[in-house]
Amino acid sequence: SLNNLLYYLFLLFYYVVKFTPSFIKKPILNFFAWCIWNFDFFRKKVVLKNLEIAFPEKSQNERLKIAKEFYRKFVYYMADIIETLNISKEELYNKIKIVNEKYIQEALSKNRPIVFMTAHFGNWEVVPKVIGAFYTPMIVLMREFDNPKIGEFFKKSRNSFNITTLNKKSSAREIIKAFKSGKSLGILIDQHSTSKTAIDVEFLGQKVRFNRAVSTLSKKFKAIVIPMFSYSEKGEYFIEFLAPKEFSENDTIESFTQWQADIITDMIKKHPSEYYWFHKRFKNIRGIYE
């Protein structure tokens, strides 16, 4: 079956990453990226269509360059997840550079619930580890893997350093319990939402359906929302915190959700190869991926 094939390919990649000497690992990872780019018959069309929608002002060659760099970074981030599976706090601290740490420190000093908002951007898997290891315990809402065998591997990686993962379908009771126990919440909000309560916002120049969960939580629990993003530049890893926002009397659920979409759009424009272009983010536009 396709699931078994993907699992065995993942195992091959896992053992290559774990046991290949570091001095020859880079060309091997580049080869993996080349193979995935050239033999991806499932998602490449989606990636290129997404880039066409998001960057209509760029030439086809420019968008191809972004796409190839995205595939390369995807492979490197997957390798990094494997390499950091049993990483120590000291190694993690030395690996990551924090940008705008003041925002998270100021929020923690207010002793209020905190919601960390991010997207499928950069190495988003490592961000909760950094927060849990050095700032605050947290729960992270995540979607279950389609492939349960690969999902078991990531489950071990995700539930470390004071991090607990919950299925996105988990009840609000679990979130309330987490807030009451002093834990923060992490959530990725950039995927297409099929919820009846989803909101239409402008995202990358298009009207799309956006999850309103972060806005609702901020309003109901007076939670501080901190945008955070991971990316790499010249071989160095960064986690950047952006200016937080609290739900005020001047806000609406719609305006607060649009703020989140704008934040993600700005980061994608700055670092286009970091965004996870595999998702059918614009499928509310009829026939867009046919």
Side-chain angles (χ1 to χ4, degrees):
S1 70
L2 179 59
N3 263 355
N4 281 337
L5 175 61
L6 290 174
Y7 177 65
Y8 290 127
L9 288 174
F10 175 78
L11 280 183
L12 171 64
F13 183 75
Y14 174 84
Y15 287 115
V16 168
V17 170
K18 287 291 287 184
F19 299 109
T20 299
S22 57
F23 70 93
I24 61 170
K25 189 173 293 184
K26 185 175 180 179
I28 291 176
L29 292 179
N30 289 340
F31 175 71
F32 269 106
W34 181 89
C35 288
I36 296 173
W37 167 256
N38 284 280
F39 297 102
D40 179 10
F41 303 113
F42 301 100
R43 289 290 175 173
K44 187 192 292 187
K45 288 183 179 179
V46 174
V47 170
L48 295 177
K49 176 56 69 173
N50 283 338
L51 286 168
E52 181 184 337
I53 295 169
F55 297 101
E57 75 283 1
K58 293 186 181 294
S59 69
Q60 184 178 4
N61 285 338
E62 288 175 316
R63 292 195 292 266
L64 280 172
K65 184 178 180 181
I66 293 172
K68 290 179 180 180
E69 178 63 7
F70 158 65
Y71 274 74
R72 188 190 70 82
K73 286 196 171 184
F74 172 73
V75 169
Y76 272 73
Y77 288 147
M78 288 291 292
D80 193 64
I81 292 169
I82 293 169
E83 291 173 342
T84 59
L85 186 58
N86 298 307
I87 194 171
S88 68
K89 282 189 177 182
E90 183 179 1
E91 291 170 327
L92 186 63
Y93 181 83
N94 293 328
K95 183 180 182 64
I96 305 292
K97 294 184 181 297
I98 305 296
V99 181
N100 294 327
E101 186 181 37
K102 62 181 180 180
Y103 291 136
I104 186 172
Q105 291 176 335
E106 289 170 0
L108 288 170
S109 69
K110 294 181 180 180
N111 197 28
R112 299 250 303 278
I114 298 175
V115 177
F116 291 98
M117 176 212 87
T118 190
H120 291 83
F121 191 97
N123 190 355
W124 69 85
E125 293 282 348
V126 78
V127 177
K129 288 187 176 184
V130 173
I131 294 174
F134 304 112
Y135 299 106
T136 174
M138 67 186 301
I139 62 170
V140 180
L141 296 184
M142 288 188 173
R143 177 178 172 272
E144 294 290 340
F145 273 80
D146 294 329
N147 190 311
K149 292 182 179 179
I150 297 178
E152 279 301 310
F153 168 86
F154 278 89
K155 186 176 181 179
K156 181 180 179 182
S157 174
R158 289 172 170 177
N159 289 275
S160 60
F161 292 113
N162 298 315
I163 303 300
T164 304
T165 56
L166 289 177
N167 190 294
K168 277 190 173 183
K169 297 179 181 179
S170 298
S171 68
R173 185 181 301 174
E174 295 296 325
I175 297 174
I176 296 171
K177 189 187 300 182
F179 282 155
K180 286 183 176 180
S181 64
K183 293 181 179 179
S184 299
L185 174 70
I187 184 170
L188 293 88
I189 61 164
D190 58 302
Q191 286 186 298
H192 172 77
S193 178
T194 57
S195 170
K196 293 180 180 179
T197 61
I199 295 174
D200 288 328
V201 300
E202 185 171 316
F203 177 67
L204 290 170
Q206 301 292 326
K207 285 291 183 182
V208 302
R209 303 288 286 168
F210 233 77
N211 194 307
R212 64 189 289 162
V214 172
S215 303
T216 302
L217 289 169
S218 182
K219 181 180 181 180
K220 184 173 182 178
F221 297 103
K222 297 183 179 180
I224 301 169
V225 179
I226 305 179
M228 59 182 186
F229 297 89
S230 163
Y231 55 88
S232 62
E233 289 182 348
K234 298 179 180 179
E236 292 187 309
Y237 280 88
F238 296 85
I239 292 179
E240 182 172 351
F241 297 102
L242 302 181
K245 185 175 175 65
E246 304 172 38
F247 203 98
S248 71
E249 60 182 13
N250 297 320
D251 286 308
T252 63
I253 294 293
E254 290 76 15
S255 68
F256 205 86
T257 306
Q258 183 63 61
W259 166 73
Q260 297 159 51
D262 291 342
I263 289 288
I264 298 172
T265 295
D266 289 345
M267 288 300 292
I268 292 172
K269 295 291 185 179
K270 290 177 183 177
H271 308 279
S273 62
E274 298 286 349
Y275 192 55
Y276 193 79
W277 295 105
F278 289 135
H279 290 153
K280 293 183 177 181
R281 188 58 186 90
F282 305 101
K283 60 184 176 183
N284 60 293
I285 305 174
R286 184 174 297 176
I288 196 71
Y289 296 111
E290 293 178 358

